[in-house]
Amino acid sequence: MFKKLSHLLVVLVTIFCTGYAQAQHHVNPDEIKQKMKWFADAKLGIFIHYGIYSVKGIDESWSFHNKKISYPDYMSQLKGFTASQYNPNELADLIKESGARYAVMTTKHHDGVALWNSKYGPLNVVQKTPAKRDLLKPLYDALRQRGVKTGAYFSLIDWSHSDYPGFLKDSSRYQVKDQPAKWAKYLTFMNGQLDELAKQYNPDLWWFDGDWEHSAEEWNAAGVRQKLLGYNPNTIINGRLQGYGDYDTPEQNFPVSRPAYKWWELCMTSNDNWGFQPQDKNFKTPYEIISIFTDAVSYGGNLLLDIGPKGDGSIPAEEVNLLKELGAWNKRNGEGVFNTIAGMPLGHYYGASTLSKDSTVVYLFVPAKTSAPVLIKGLKNSIKKVSVLGSDTPLNYKIVGKISWSVVPGLTYITIPENLQDKYMSVIKVELNGKLDLYRGKGGFLTNE
Ligand code: GLC
C-alpha cells in the first residue's frame, strides 16, 4: 500500500513540476512550427546596438540607471548624435557578407530615445538630435533588398518616460499598484509606439527586452502578442515577453547542456559591450566567434552576434573584420551550418556537429590545424564517403576495435590532410548509408546495452 502511495506521490509531483514549467511558456510550439522554419534554418543573425550612448561610448541606458553618469549628462549625448557616417546600404552589405540571414536593430533602448520619428513622444533622434532622420526605414529597406530578414529590438522599459515607474536603480517614480491609471497611460504610449513600428516597418521578428521589470499581467503580454500577430501572423517574437514569446534568448551565457526550448538564440557581444565603447578592445577573434557559432548551431540554436556602431554611425574596424572573416568562413563551410539540424548527442564526437535534415550526413567541426585523426564513437552506419567541405577529395578513414561477434560498432578515425584544413575551423562531411544510427550502450556485446 505504502509503495503505491509513494509512487502516486512521485507521479503527482512530476505532473506539478512539468505543468509549472510549461506555465512559463504560453506558446504551444506545435502551433508556430511553420512560421519558425526560416528562423530555425537561419542560424546567424546580427544584432545592432546604436543609440545616443554611442556618442560618449558608455553603457547603453544602464550608465545613468546605475548612476555611473547623471541622467542630464547622459541625455546631453542627444546633441552629439549626428549619424553622419551611418550608411544603411553599406551596413546591410556587411551583414549580408557575414552570412547572416537576419538582423536586429535597436529601435528604442531602455533610455527611451526612439530611432524613428514617433508621434507618441518627441524623445527621438529625428526631433532631438542633429541626425534629424529616421534610422530604421533605410536599414530595413536595405536589408529586405538583400533578402535579409528584419528584426526590431524594442525595450518595454522606458526609464525616461514620466509615466514609467522605474528610473534609477535606487529610485522609482511610483508603484503600479498605487497608480494604475498612470501605468495605463504608459501602456497606451508603449502600445502606440508598437503600433507605429508594426505599421511602418512590419518587422519579421520582434526582439523585446526589459520584460523582467513587470509581470505578464502588468505588461498585458498576451495582448501585445495578439496585437503584433494581428498585424503579421508570421512575425516572430523573442522570449522576453514574460512567457509569450516564440523562442528563448540566453544572453552571453553559453549553454553547456542543450536548452530545453524547441528554438533558441544566443545573443552575444563582439567584445564585452553591446554599444560602442572605445576602451573595450576585448574583441573575440574570428576563430572564437566561429567556434561559439558552431557550438550554438550544434545544439540546435542560433547566434545573434552584436555590433555597436560609433556615435557617427560608422562601424568599428574590428567588427567589420569579424563579420568579413565570419562571412568568408560561412562561404567555405555554410553547407555544414545553414539548413542543418542539431548534431549528435554528446559522447560521440568531442566537438560540435550538425546533421543534414534527413540525418544521412554528419558534419563535424574540427578546429584548425588538427593533425591528430578525428574520432567518432558509436557510429553503426556504414560510410559512403568522407570529405572536407571545400574539397571533393575523399578522406581516408579507419575503423578500429570492431569485434566480429559483437553488435558494438568500432571507432572511426578520420585524418584531414594539412593542405585541406580550414584556417579557422574545418568541416568534415560524413555521408552515411541510411539515417544516422548510433550505439548508445555501455559496452555490452550481445545486446545494445
Ligand atoms: C540586456 C541589457 C541591454 C541589452 C540586452 C541585449 O537586456 O539590458 O542593455 O540591450 O541585454 O540582449
Side-chain angles (χ1 to χ4, degrees):
M1 178 60 180
F2 174 73
K3 201 163 173 351
K4 274 196 176 159
L5 268 179
S6 59
H7 177 67
L8 177 63
L9 187 63
V10 168
V11 169
L12 288 173
V13 168
T14 305
I15 290 171
F16 171 75
C17 294
T18 313
Y20 177 73
Q22 292 309 324
Q24 296 302 315
H25 292 268
H26 301 277
V27 179
N28 177 347
D30 293 338
E31 289 171 9
I32 59 170
K33 61 185 174 189
Q34 184 53 38
K35 87 171 181 181
M36 293 303 285
K37 277 189 184 310
W38 75 257
F39 180 81
D41 289 343
K43 309 300 181 189
L44 179 64
I46 300 297
F47 214 168
I48 305 149
H49 272 74
Y50 187 36
I52 62 169
Y53 42 85
S54 314
V55 173
K56 288 179 186 281
I58 53 177
D59 295 347
E60 68 289 344
S61 308
W62 292 97
S63 43
F64 76 80
H65 180 76
N66 291 331
K67 303 175 81 170
K68 286 183 180 175
I69 181 176
S70 74
Y71 180 71
D73 197 4
Y74 179 93
M75 297 308 280
S76 72
Q77 296 177 101
L78 285 164
K79 58 181 183 299
F81 188 76
T82 67
S84 59
Q85 301 306 310
Y86 176 66
N87 186 322
N89 279 311
E90 278 180 14
L91 179 52
D93 283 340
L94 179 62
I95 290 167
K96 179 75 176 178
E97 184 178 352
S98 75
R101 277 21 183 202
Y102 62 109
V104 179
M105 173 69 158
T106 45
T107 65
K108 187 182 86 168
H109 207 268
H110 313 329
D111 58 17
V113 181
L115 270 62
W116 79 100
N117 191 14
S118 171
K119 67 173 187 294
Y120 284 87
L123 186 54
N124 62 68
V125 298
V126 179
Q127 297 181 40
K128 293 288 185 187
T129 78
K132 291 198 185 311
R133 60 181 166 136
D134 172 357
L135 303 181
L136 303 182
K137 182 165 178 8
L139 178 63
Y140 287 144
D141 288 349
L143 290 169
R144 288 197 165 103
Q145 284 154 20
R146 291 158 179 80
V148 178
K149 296 277 190 184
T150 56
Y153 167 108
F154 181 84
S155 172
L156 298 166
I157 291 171
D158 187 327
W159 287 323
S160 287
H161 199 281
S162 57
D163 290 331
Y164 186 75
F167 176 43
L168 303 180
K169 66 177 180 179
D170 55 4
S171 68
S172 297
R173 297 183 180 91
Y174 69 96
Q175 298 298 314
V176 172
K177 62 180 172 43
D178 301 332
Q179 298 195 52
K182 197 174 183 67
W183 176 246
K185 269 182 71 187
Y186 175 73
L187 289 182
T188 301
F189 160 77
M190 183 186 87
N191 281 282
Q193 289 198 319
L194 290 175
D195 289 329
E196 284 183 317
L197 290 169
K199 287 176 194 167
Q200 291 169 11
Y201 310 109
N202 185 27
D204 299 300
L205 184 148
W206 291 85
W207 215 97
F208 285 114
D209 197 18
D211 67 334
W212 59 80
E213 285 207 347
H214 295 280
S215 66
E217 293 68 32
E218 286 178 338
W219 289 123
N220 183 25
V224 168
R225 179 181 177 84
Q226 189 182 15
K227 171 217 293 288
L228 298 179
L229 295 179
Y231 282 116
N232 176 355
N234 292 315
T235 197
I236 289 176
I237 297 170
N238 81 331
R240 296 192 185 184
L241 189 57
Q242 280 292 335
Y244 286 86
D246 298 318
Y247 69 88
D248 195 31
T249 61
E251 172 185 327
Q252 309 273 47
N253 302 322
F254 308 108
V256 174
S257 53
R258 293 189 187 196
Y261 303 102
K262 191 165 179 60
W263 302 282
W264 62 277
E265 166 202 82
L266 168 68
C267 59
M268 182 185 78
T269 50
S270 299
N271 47 14
D272 294 329
N273 288 284
W274 295 106
F276 171 69
Q277 298 207 21
Q279 86 291 345
D280 183 353
K281 293 301 182 186
N282 191 27
F283 289 95
K284 298 167 183 75
T285 63
Y287 169 75
E288 289 160 353
I289 296 279
I290 290 164
S291 63
I292 292 164
F293 175 39
T294 51
D295 187 71
V297 173
S298 73
Y299 279 14
N302 289 7
L303 174 66
L304 184 64
L305 176 63
D306 178 70
I307 58 172
K310 299 178 184 176
D312 65 4
S314 60
I315 311 300
E318 298 89 344
E319 291 175 343
V320 172
N321 177 59
L322 274 178
L323 294 193
K324 284 181 176 294
E325 286 300 295
L326 176 57
W329 184 85
N330 277 322
K331 230 188 205 70
R332 299 191 297 269
N333 301 289
E335 176 190 333
V337 169
F338 301 106
N339 303 311
T340 64
I341 56 176
M344 298 185 287
L346 300 179
H348 293 282
Y349 167 61
Y350 292 103
S353 68
T354 56
L355 303 180
S356 59
K357 283 188 174 174
D358 65 3
S359 298
T360 62
V361 181
V362 179
Y363 296 98
L364 305 175
F365 298 98
V366 185
K369 307 307 170 216
T370 298
S371 52
V374 168
L375 164 63
I376 309 177
K377 278 168 56 177
L379 184 60
K380 291 165 78 172
N381 304 75
S382 59
I383 291 172
K384 259 193 213 163
K385 181 182 175 186
V386 181
S387 56
V388 61
L389 292 188
S391 154
D392 221 12
T393 312
L395 295 190
N396 294 325
Y397 62 91
K398 179 182 176 190
I399 295 175
V400 301
K402 177 69 183 86
I403 310 295
S404 58
W405 41 262
S406 161
V407 296
V408 178
L411 303 175
T412 304
Y413 285 92
I414 302 166
T415 304
I416 314 177
E418 182 84 22
N419 67 310
L420 293 181
Q421 294 199 21
D422 187 275
K423 71 177 185 178
Y424 293 125
M425 182 82 75
S426 303
V427 182
I428 295 179
K429 178 177 183 178
V430 183
E431 296 168 74
L432 306 171
N433 286 309
K435 283 181 178 295
L436 179 68
D437 185 7
L438 294 172
Y439 168 74
R440 298 282 293 161
K442 301 177 183 67
F445 49 83
L446 293 179
T447 69
N448 263 322
E449 283 311 304

